[in-house]
């Protein structure tokens, strides 16, 4: 079994194992309670990201020592459900649409995802049903889970049959994803990138002066780029004018960024101008979806040698499900997480969309470590992560005594003994408020923390698609 800890994640990024001694943790009982080691996974992902930031900051500031990293379970637990804590002028967002839920089938359960209008339409078209939950429930109760899964995916919608961990382990996609590392790292060569200027001033912003093109949606990818924005990067999110967006979701993950709309099919020139000056490109669409625009990692690096390209997907870039759409909730169902977290009578879910948030922080960490490596070795870098691979890491730790994993979480026993343990009494200590063009916002503060680093984003989120598609 693989321990769910900082040491494992840091090793997956190629980091110096001695640096994990720079991490200390405030352990809080009751944070992210679950049968699986969700708290440990969340803590490890955030700690790894903070350590990667501290390492890059030290290199750029020409400091001999990497600043200490402090991870607080309370901050992590609050940030991992940031979308639930968001208030806009006192209004709470709606998390899931009525047709995004579990449904009982003739032989088990299936979960659908229909938050976006086009996904809802494809779901109903595949089932040949009106938009009526009662009709959907009656129809699915007469069909098998796998039949529903195949029919809905065949129509471009999203539905996944409930599987046990053993069933997923025998599934061809499960076998393929398990054979991959937690973080895939490649160095195809070519180019040195744009050498960033040495850092000075306070707070220490490791990514200051770097330009990040953000081609991501939903949670995991935007969490990664939101974190890079926290650390000083100029992050420009690009969306298609034709694809609808959930405004509250965009608000939650839009802190520190700018947001523009570009039609890649008709305005390739604008994108090429942005790419020519970019240091990092982060993509979060299913593998192959952007290739027709010349945006595969290989094509991007050919036109911009020295680039860091970070790619995120639900199911991985290989295997029979490589081109399928997916979300955290569906990956939980396919991989057996929902079966473990269920009551025995019906499926369950993790206390947070931890695959999304955890993979987001790991993705940001992979970008930061790639930038650190470039300072000495140059070269183009590719990194690739998948929600299903993060799920495998979580499941792999379930029988390794992870409930008491604090003493092995990459900080050293002394750091834990010094910090002690406390109860998680709720999120209030890690929430903040500020005004924005969108209204008065209540939001979760960033959990990534290191000595001398930023404690909040420099600016609030911008309305979706209202910025010009150019670098600041």
């Amino acid at each position: 079994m693989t321990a769910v800890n900082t040491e494992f994640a840091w090793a997956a990024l190629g980091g110096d194992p001695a640096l994990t001694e720079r991490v200390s943790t405030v352990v809080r009982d009751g944070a992210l309670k679950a049968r699986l080691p969700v708290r440990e996974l969340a803590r490890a992902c955030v700690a790894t990201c903070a350590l990667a930031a501290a390492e890059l900051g030290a290199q750029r500031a020409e400091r001999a020592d990497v600043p200490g990293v402090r991870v607080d379970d309370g901050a992590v637990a609050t940030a991992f459900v940031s979308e639930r804590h968001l208030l806009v002028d006192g209004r709470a967002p709606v998390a899931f649409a009525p047709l995004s839920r579990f449904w009982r089938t003739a032989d088990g359960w299936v979960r659908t995802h229909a938050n976006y209008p086009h996904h809802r339409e494809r779901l109903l078209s595949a089932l040949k049903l009106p938009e009526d939950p009662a009709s959907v429930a009656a129809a699915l109760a007469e069909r098998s889970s796998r039949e529903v899964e195949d029919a809905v995916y065949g129509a471009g919608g999203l539905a996944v049959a409930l599987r046990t961990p053993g069933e997923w382990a025998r599934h061809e996609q499960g076998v393929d994803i398990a054979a991959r590392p937690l973080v895939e790292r490649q160095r195809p060569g070519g180019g040195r990138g744009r050498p960033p200027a040495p850092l000075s001033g306070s707070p220490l912003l490791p990514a200051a002066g770097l330009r990040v093109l953000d081609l991501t949606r939903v949670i995991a990818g935007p969490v990664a780029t939101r974190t890079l924005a926290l650390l000083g990067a100029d992050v420009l999110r690009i969306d298609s004018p034709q694809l609808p967006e959930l405004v509250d979701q965009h608000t939650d993950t839009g802190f520190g960024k700018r947001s523009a709309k570009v039609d890649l099919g008709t305005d390739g020139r604008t994108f090429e101008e942005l790419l020519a000056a970019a240091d990092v490109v982060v993509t979060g669409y299913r593998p192959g979806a952007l290739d027709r625009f010349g945006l595969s990692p290989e094509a991007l690096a050919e036109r911009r040698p020295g680039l860091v390209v970070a790619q995120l997907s639900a199911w991985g870039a290989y295997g029979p499900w490589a081109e399928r759409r997916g979300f955290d909730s569906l990956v939980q169902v396919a991989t057996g997480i929902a079966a473990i977290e269920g009551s025995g009578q019906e499926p369950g879910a993790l206390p947070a969309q931890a695959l999304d948030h955890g993979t987001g922080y790991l993705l940001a960490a992979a970008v930061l470590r790639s930038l650190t490596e470039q300072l000495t070795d140059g070269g183009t870098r590719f990194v690739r992560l998948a929600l299903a691979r993060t799920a495998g890491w979580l499941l792999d730790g379930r029988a390794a005594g992870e409930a008491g994993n604090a003493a092995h979480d990459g900080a050293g026993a002394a750091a834990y003994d010094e910090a002690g343990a406390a109860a998680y009494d709720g999120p209030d200590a890690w929430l903040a408020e500020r005004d924005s063009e969108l209204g008065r916002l209540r939001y979760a503060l960033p959990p990534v923390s290191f000595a001398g680093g930023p404690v909040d984003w420099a600016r609030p989120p911008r309305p979706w698609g209202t910025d010009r598609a150019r670098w600041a």
Side-chain angles (χ1 to χ4, degrees), residues 398-410:
R398 71 188 186 278
E402 296 294 342
N405 198 47
H408 306 283
D409 203 53

Side-chain angles (χ1 to χ4, degrees), residues 216-285:
T216 69
R217 289 169 64 81
V218 195
I219 296 178
V223 163
T225 51
R226 180 181 71 182
T227 303
L228 297 175
L230 169 75
L231 300 171
D234 179 10
V235 178
L236 179 61
R237 174 165 160 172
I238 300 296
D239 282 283
S240 167
Q242 283 78 44
L243 276 179
E245 179 56 302
L246 304 178
V247 175
D248 290 331
Q249 185 171 266
H250 185 271
T251 298
D252 175 57
T253 57
F255 282 84
K257 309 179 194 177
R258 292 177 298 116
S259 171
K261 297 177 185 176
V262 176
D263 189 329
L264 297 176
T266 61
D267 193 10
R269 179 178 177 180
T270 294
F271 183 85
E272 291 303 315
E273 291 173 351
L274 293 169
L275 178 64
D279 302 288
V280 179
V281 176
V282 185
T283 68
Y285 293 77

Side-chain angles (χ1 to χ4, degrees), residues 94-116:
V94 175
F96 285 98
L99 296 184
S100 296
R101 48 166 280 195
F102 282 107
W103 307 88
R104 190 181 288 277
T105 61
D107 60 349
W109 295 87
V110 69
R111 179 150 192 168
T112 56
H113 195 289
N115 285 1
Y116 287 98

Side-chain angles (χ1 to χ4, degrees), residues 4-8 10 17-27 43-44 47-48 51 68-72 405-419:
V4 179
N5 59 34
T6 304
E7 291 164 325
F8 178 80
W10 187 246
L19 288 183
T20 59
E21 297 178 0
R22 305 298 297 158
V23 181
S24 62
T25 303
V26 178
V27 178
R43 183 194 294 154
T48 302
L51 187 57
V69 168
R70 189 171 181 82
V71 183
D72 191 312
N405 198 47
H408 306 283
D409 203 53
Y416 280 90
D417 292 342
E418 178 183 348

Side-chain angles (χ1 to χ4, degrees), residues 32-112:
L32 297 174
K33 295 176 68 173
R35 291 188 173 92
L36 290 165
V38 178
R39 180 183 64 168
E40 288 70 29
L41 177 135
R43 183 194 294 154
C45 293
V46 170
T48 302
C49 184
L51 187 57
E55 179 192 35
L56 177 60
Q59 290 276 350
R60 292 189 62 193
E62 300 178 340
R63 293 177 50 166
D65 295 326
V66 172
V69 168
R70 189 171 181 82
V71 183
D72 191 312
D73 281 351
V76 173
T78 303
F80 265 58
V81 289
S82 61
E83 65 276 8
R84 302 181 199 173
H85 293 306
L86 178 71
L87 294 178
V88 182
D89 287 333
R91 176 186 58 80
V94 175
F96 285 98
L99 296 184
S100 296
R101 48 166 280 195
F102 282 107
W103 307 88
R104 190 181 288 277
T105 61
D107 60 349
W109 295 87
V110 69
R111 179 150 192 168
T112 56

